[in-house]
């Protein structure tokens, strides 16, 4: 199988990795546009906290995710996966009671034992160093002559038609919306901002766990943390806003009983998450083109679910899997909605 992969964010990285694992010929092009993956915190969490439920097929995703990132760590010789417990702040007694009830059947959860902090713990979480993964994988592809920095262009479409490639995998994230030659898919933009902060010793968030208080902190070491994130619809610029930075800091200060001046903003980033209306990814044949596959809509959980869907998509392209209707891209075809 000869694949042309367009885009090397998380989606293009995972597909090219899986294709090469299978012994296929994979070539990746990337235009160097702003990508969600380059700014994402990379967190993974088997739980959804709103209703205290397990993420759909969490166990299977986590197993595949761990295998994939461990394999990439071995190939690239860099530490990518940082497993950490997640401590969820239990905002009120009703939520805490629900947590205790769910902890009896969901093995990820431990009951809230620390009455002072009012947190419950989740196992199976952590974060992936996505900027490091992207740059190290790109270097490896480039040194094997499998990577070019350029835009998808008309000759690529002709090369596909002429049979130079067996398939194209479109991993352009939110940039897929800029392609007017293709039947549009309803991939929406969810804009997020996050901070890298340092903190004074008396106000330091936990250094050995992720703290979730509606917002979250992830310890990066060396006295720094990621603090995120915002979720905004109807906006798709990448300008960071002071008001969002201040809001994130004030939520953290309130949570820790600290003063906002205890924190310094070391970096502030914005990015655009590709999201579908039903929050499922788009994985499969594009409804308006032949030999043109889509791997998109990874949303807020790309790190956790991406590896398993990359494996599935290679199975689909290789004729081993049937199209899974839950993730079928044609459901997002704008003509049909
Ligand atoms: C602030 C923020 C925090 C987040 N935190 C988390 C988190 O903690 N955990 C989690 O799982 N997810 C998180 N996400 C979501 C996650 O980032 C996305 O699910 C994932 O990165 C999407 O990856 P992608 O490869 O589909 O798109 P992108 O990462 O956007 O990559 C698209 C790539 O396509 C390339 N491209 C576009 N058009 C063309 C073209 N015409 N020709 C060639 N190349 C092209 C671009 O240059 C880019 O490299 C976060 C997102 C944001 C914005």
């Amino acid at each position: 199988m000869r694949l042309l992969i367009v885009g090397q964010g998380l989606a293009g990285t995972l597909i090219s990795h899986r294709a090469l694992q299978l012994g296929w010929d994979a070539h990746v092009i990337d235009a160097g546009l702003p990508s969600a993956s380059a700014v994402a915190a990379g967190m993974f969490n088997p739980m959804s906290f709103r209703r205290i439920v397990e993420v759909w097929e969490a166990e299977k995703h986590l197993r595949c995710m761990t295998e994939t990132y461990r394999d990439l760590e071995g190939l690239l010789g860099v530490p990518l996966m940082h497993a950490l417990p997640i401590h969820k702040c239990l905002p009120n007694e009703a939520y805490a009671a629900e947590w205790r009830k769910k902890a009896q059947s969901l093995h990820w959860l431990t009951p809230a034992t620390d009455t002072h902090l009012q947190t419950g713990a989740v196992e199976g979480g952590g974060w992936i160093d996505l900027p490091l993964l992207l740059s190290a994988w790109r270097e490896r592809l480039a040194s094997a002559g499998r990577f070019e920095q350029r835009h998808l262009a008309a000759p690529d479409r002709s090369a596909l038609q002429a049979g130079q490639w067996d398939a194209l995998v479109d991993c352009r994230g939110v940039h897929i919306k800029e392609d007017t030659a293709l039947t549009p898919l309803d991939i929406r933009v969810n804009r997020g901002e996050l901070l890298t902060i340092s903190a004074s010793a008396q106000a330091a968030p936990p250094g050995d766990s992720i703290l979730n208080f509606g917002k979250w902190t992830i310890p990066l070491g060396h006295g720094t943390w990621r603090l995120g994130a915002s979720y905004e619809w109807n906006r798709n610029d990448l300008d960071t806003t002071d008001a969002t930075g201040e809001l994130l800091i004030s939520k953290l200060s309130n949570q820790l009983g600290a003063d906002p001046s205890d924190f310094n903003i070391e970096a502030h980033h914005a990015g655009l998450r590709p999201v579908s209306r039903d929050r499922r990814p788009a994985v499969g044949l594009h409804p308006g083109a032949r030999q043109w596959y889509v791997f998109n809509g990874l949303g807020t959980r790309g790190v956790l679910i991406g590896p398993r869907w990359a494996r599935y998509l290679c199975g689909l392209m290789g004729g081993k899997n049937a199209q899974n209707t839950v993730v079928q891209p044609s459901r997002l075809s704008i003509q049909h909605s």
Side-chain angles (χ1 to χ4, degrees), residues 228-240:
S230 63
Y231 300 86
E232 262 183 287
W233 299 99
N234 305 319
R235 197 175 151 191
N236 56 11
D237 64 272
L238 290 170
D239 303 326
T240 56

Side-chain angles (χ1 to χ4, degrees), residues 6-11 29-33 35-37 39-43 150-152 171-173 175 192-194 271-274 298-303:
V6 184
Q8 195 243 328
L10 178 62
I29 62 171
D30 188 284
L33 299 168
S35 83
S37 312
V39 301
M43 191 165 41
R150 63 179 172 83
H151 265 89
L152 173 71
C171 301
R172 286 181 286 174
H175 296 283
E193 292 188 32
L194 55 74
L272 305 177
R273 305 175 184 93
L298 288 178
T300 56
R301 297 191 188 276
V303 162

Side-chain angles (χ1 to χ4, degrees), residues 19-20 23 36 53-54 58 78 83 90 96 105 123 135 229 257 261 277 290 333:
L20 293 172
V53 290
E54 201 177 44
V78 291
L90 311 174
S105 56
E123 294 302 326
S135 61
S261 64
R277 62 172 178 252
R290 292 180 59 217
S333 175

